[in-house]
Amino acid sequence: MDRADIAVDQWARERPDLPSLPMAIFGRISDASERVLRDHMNPLFAAAGLQPGEFDVLATLRRSGAPFMLSPTQLYQAMMISSGGMTARLDRLERAGLVERRPDPQDRRGKLIALTERGKGVIDETIGRHVENERRLLGVLSPEEQEMLNSLLKKLVAGL
């Protein structure tokens, strides 16, 4: 019995008129997300000297392709966070020598965020361990179950 089962049982006792399946599904999605981040991903990022949001910035720059450079607006839109949150992350990454702010040749007032060689090395090393960690965590599901879960979550997200 997991936390979702306990909550569903309690609601069934208190409000038997409520459907339990939606509560169970979203409870498990929430629980899985929280546990994966807290117990498996955040420690991996910390071992690389990164906070989760900093990993996201480096990964977004790296997957953008050479020259691994984006505007702050492109970065925060790709990551779906506020510009204020992005500024704090960029400041920390710049102090660590993992990114640098460069003048935008297309806009004299603008800046571009570039991955430094050191930053590229950190993300290239960390992303391999990250993906292996994800693969290991999904190992409790067969390849077919992983494909099904991926398809169902994609459908759910598209519907939101």
Side-chain angles (χ1 to χ4, degrees):
M1 182 171 261
D2 62 10
R3 293 188 322 183
D5 284 333
I6 293 167
V8 165
D9 287 350
Q10 290 169 335
W11 279 116
R13 182 186 69 240
E14 296 298 318
R15 290 286 308 272
D17 58 307
L18 295 175
S20 63
L21 188 56
M23 288 186 277
I25 290 170
F26 283 101
R28 287 190 175 97
I29 289 172
S30 178
D31 192 33
S33 177
E34 180 183 313
R35 287 179 180 201
V36 165
L37 290 173
R38 181 192 66 220
D39 299 341
H40 302 281
M41 292 191 179
N42 290 352
L44 186 140
F45 301 146
L50 300 171
Q51 296 177 15
E54 295 167 351
F55 171 86
D56 290 343
V57 169
L58 297 179
T60 300
L61 287 168
R62 179 63 175 96
R63 73 174 183 259
S64 73
F68 314 113
M69 202 165 20
L70 295 169
S71 72
T73 301
Q74 290 170 312
L75 264 174
Y76 81 75
Q77 287 174 342
M79 297 172 56
M80 297 181 290
I81 65 166
S82 72
S83 60
M86 179 58 67
T87 300
R89 289 178 186 181
L90 294 177
D91 288 346
R92 287 190 304 267
L93 289 167
E94 189 173 36
R95 281 192 303 272
L98 302 177
V99 302
E100 61 186 14
R101 290 174 169 97
R102 295 183 182 168
D104 184 342
Q106 308 300 321
D107 178 0
R108 289 185 332 175
R109 295 170 295 148
K111 295 284 184 188
L112 293 173
I113 308 305
L115 198 57
T116 63
E117 281 301 313
R118 183 168 176 232
K120 186 175 179 287
V122 167
I123 192 60
D124 282 348
E125 180 182 323
T126 307
I127 192 67
R129 290 195 320 269
H130 174 63
V131 173
E132 176 55 29
N133 191 33
E134 290 176 325
R135 190 195 62 71
R136 181 184 55 77
L137 292 170
L138 289 170
V140 299
L141 302 174
S142 71
E144 296 78 18
E145 289 170 326
Q146 290 179 37
E147 288 290 340
M148 182 184 302
L149 177 61
N150 186 49
S151 294
L152 291 171
L153 288 171
K154 183 177 182 177
K155 184 175 181 178
L156 175 63
V157 169
L160 300 175

